[in-house]
DNA sequence: CTGAAAGCGCTTACAG
DNA sequence: CTGAAAGCGCTTACAG
């Protein structure tokens, strides 16, 4: 009414019952006379009453909030996962609080807050965030319900693709076309933050080559940023190499499309002069004619959120690691090497 | 220690002071003996004490959390804005809670929660979310500190580009090249949720045409989705038209790139057969050689967050509307019509 | 500089 | 089915 928030006291007073009854009535608990409930609801509506968030949290111990720690909210993969997570959570009545966790410092700060996060969220999603031992220890100690996305973390529920196998399959596609010198683009975060997902893809790349009797050439490992710009820059670096590769395996589609854009600008023909393969299944990969290893990012977000909700509801469920299938989509950006 | 969270009581007991002093010491308030503070900090560290989130909120009235309501977290623009917002907020010690607000129903649900949001966040960012009258009323009534991004909302601080002028400039570029039949792609959300930003761009499109003595042809207004897929579909629809346009103004870069991808697949030459211009300045627009109206999405997010923090700190500041400049970048996707 | 006390606004056994 | 009361864990005037 008159400018200030209505409290449960106001509702109680105006409906002539106790605050305990108001609480029960409004939260749909049993043991409230239908008549009483109707009266309380009417008054609450009229006053525009909604419970004080912090007061409910404090009294009930539940926050109806889930946190998600992820790197780079402006990257396609993260955005997709986030959209999936958000849909499932909001359907279930949960709010979503986001935490940037790309740099080592951010991750540390995040883990250091574990104790207070425990009282801030009911559960936490970790996207491409493989905590260091000390970070994991804090997180586990705080007993926050956790689900890891994109990486298998010991003693934590997780949902991820098999990056090694996916990378092997990608590189084998290039090998089968006849390529022998295959570059690797986008390994910067392997060195910067030891991203396990990327490290696994790198391992798959090496394994596939070795399996074909080829020794991975360190000179072909380009540690450019995993981004459009990084891909463009990496493409240049790879082209400058004496005896440049005839194919490039890019660790993300954004990197791959950056490389293709650079090729277009330079008049380098894809795939005739150089084949390019990406990783993600980005919306735009089809428009680019990009061959890519498709992962269902949005679905991953949804499933992870469902897993988290289930494990919030049933905290004793044993830890499980789920693997999500991927799918190689061959398009025009890959072909046999020239001559 | 022994499995359970340490409370301020534990710290008080073990450091031999009152909880009031612990609170002051840990929150860096003045009027605490340096010696006392040191002791308290030591004990708190040893116990891994961190304040209970809800208890602080309830007692202090501050949540150190900001909310952002935005449509489509997996769209480039939203992701960029979000990344900018996140950076500024986390630097300032604020958390970020996200609310999806794309459908009319989501927006309604969101506005209906105003009273509880007031106790959940210290301020709120509204991205491309021009509330209906009743929604705005609730929001204002709840006295949440608001900043609108992308659209000017009456009686709310805002930060936006000038969509009308930007669209006029885009279309004039095509007119100057000699185009007379210019299609418009991506107007679906104008009809679905009356997106004011898109409506403004549409208005600019019409104004530029009329100004050149051309009557906008409703048949050239394609209400496809503002997305890669939508662009591809819209491209087909436009091409199927008898006497199809020689140029297409796409309301987002994703739409434009979807259209370009379709052109590539069909063997339609851009810009020789048809010119395409986008809107956004998407990372990949350069790789595509796409002419586009560039808006500094990340910067917009950062500035809006700064604005919000300032107005949380100084709630009495008068309402202001800020306009952010845009920049037309001409690339290869636009050229003179073939005739 | 420090402590005792009130208060923030709910939820939840516990009685009845 | 309902109410009185304790308790959730802090912060913040108010005294001293």
């Amino acid at each position: 009414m008159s400018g200030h928030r209505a409290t449960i006291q106001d509702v109680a007073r105006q409906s002539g019952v106790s605050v305990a009854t108001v609480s029960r009535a409004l939260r749909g608990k049993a043991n409230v006379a239908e008549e009483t409930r109707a009266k309380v609801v009417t008054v609450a509506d009229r006053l525009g009453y909604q419970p004080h968030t912090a007061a409910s949290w404090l009294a009930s111990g539940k926050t109806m909030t889930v946190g998600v720690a992820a790197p780079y909210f402006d990257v396609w993969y993260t955005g997709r996962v986030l959209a999936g997570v958000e849909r499932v959570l909001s359907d279930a009545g949960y709010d979503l609080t986001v935490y940037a966790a790309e740099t080592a410092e951010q991750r540390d700060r995040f883990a250091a807050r574990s104790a207070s996060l425990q009282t801030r969220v009911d559960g936490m999603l970790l996207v491409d965030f493989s905590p260091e031992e000390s970070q994991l220890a804090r997180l586990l100690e705080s007993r926050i319900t956790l689900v890891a996305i994109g990486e298998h973390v010991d003693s934590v529920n997780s949902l991820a693709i098999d990056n090694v196998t996916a990378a092997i399959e990608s590189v084998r596609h290039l090998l089968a076309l006849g390529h022998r010198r295959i570059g690797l683009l986008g390994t910067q975060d392997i060195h910067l933050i030891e991203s396990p997902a990327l490290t696994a893809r790198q391992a798959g790349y090496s394994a596939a080559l070795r399996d074909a009797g080829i020794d991975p050439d360190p000179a072909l490992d380009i540690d450019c940023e995993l981004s459009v710009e990084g891909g463009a820059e990496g493409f240049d670096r790879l082209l400058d190499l004496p005896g440049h590769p005839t194919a490039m395996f890019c660790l993300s589609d954004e990197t791959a499309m950056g490389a293709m854009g650079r090729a277009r600008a330079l008049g380098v023909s894809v795939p005739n002069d150089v084949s390019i393969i990406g990783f993600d299944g980005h919306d735009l990969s089809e428009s680019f004619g990009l061959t890519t290893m498709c992962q269902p990012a949005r679905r991953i977000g949804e499933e992870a959120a469902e897993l988290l909700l289930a494990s919030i509801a049933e905290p004793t469920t044993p830890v499980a690691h789920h693997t999500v299938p991927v799918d190689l989509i061959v398009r025009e950006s890959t072909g046999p090497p020239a001559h």
Side-chain angles (χ1 to χ4, degrees), chain A residues 226-243:
Chain A
L226 205 67
S227 66
V228 176
E229 271 187 40
E233 179 220 329
F235 184 86
D236 283 344
R237 284 166 62 186
L238 228 27
L239 267 208
D240 278 353
L241 252 36

Side-chain angles (χ1 to χ4, degrees), chain A residues 179 235 239 244-248 263 266-275 336-338:
Chain A
H179 296 278
F235 184 86
L239 267 208
H244 73 253
T246 59
M248 302 181 181
L266 295 174
V268 174
S269 161
V270 176
N272 293 333
D273 297 329
V274 55
S275 281

Side-chain angles (χ1 to χ4, degrees), chain A residues 122-125 142-147 157 307-308 311-312 315:
Chain A
D122 292 343
M124 191 82 215
L125 254 13
S142 73
R143 313 192 146 285
I144 301 174
T145 305
L146 255 29
V147 168
N157 282 305
L307 229 52
L308 183 64
S311 104
I312 288 171

Side-chain angles (χ1 to χ4, degrees), chain A residues 18 26 102 115-116 126 153 177 185 191 209 253 284 288 326:
Chain A
S18 71
L26 259 24
E102 47 228 38
S116 84
L126 265 25
V153 177
L177 288 167
L185 263 79
H191 308 103
L209 292 181
D253 277 357
L284 281 164
F288 261 94
V326 294

Side-chain angles (χ1 to χ4, degrees), chain A residues 52 62 75 85 93 96 116 120 144 157 159 258 262 273 304 323 337:
Chain A
H52 185 114
K62 307 221 148 298
V75 149
V85 165
L96 214 208
S116 84
R120 201 199 182 311
I144 301 174
N157 282 305
L159 190 72
R262 190 75 188 123
D273 297 329
T323 298

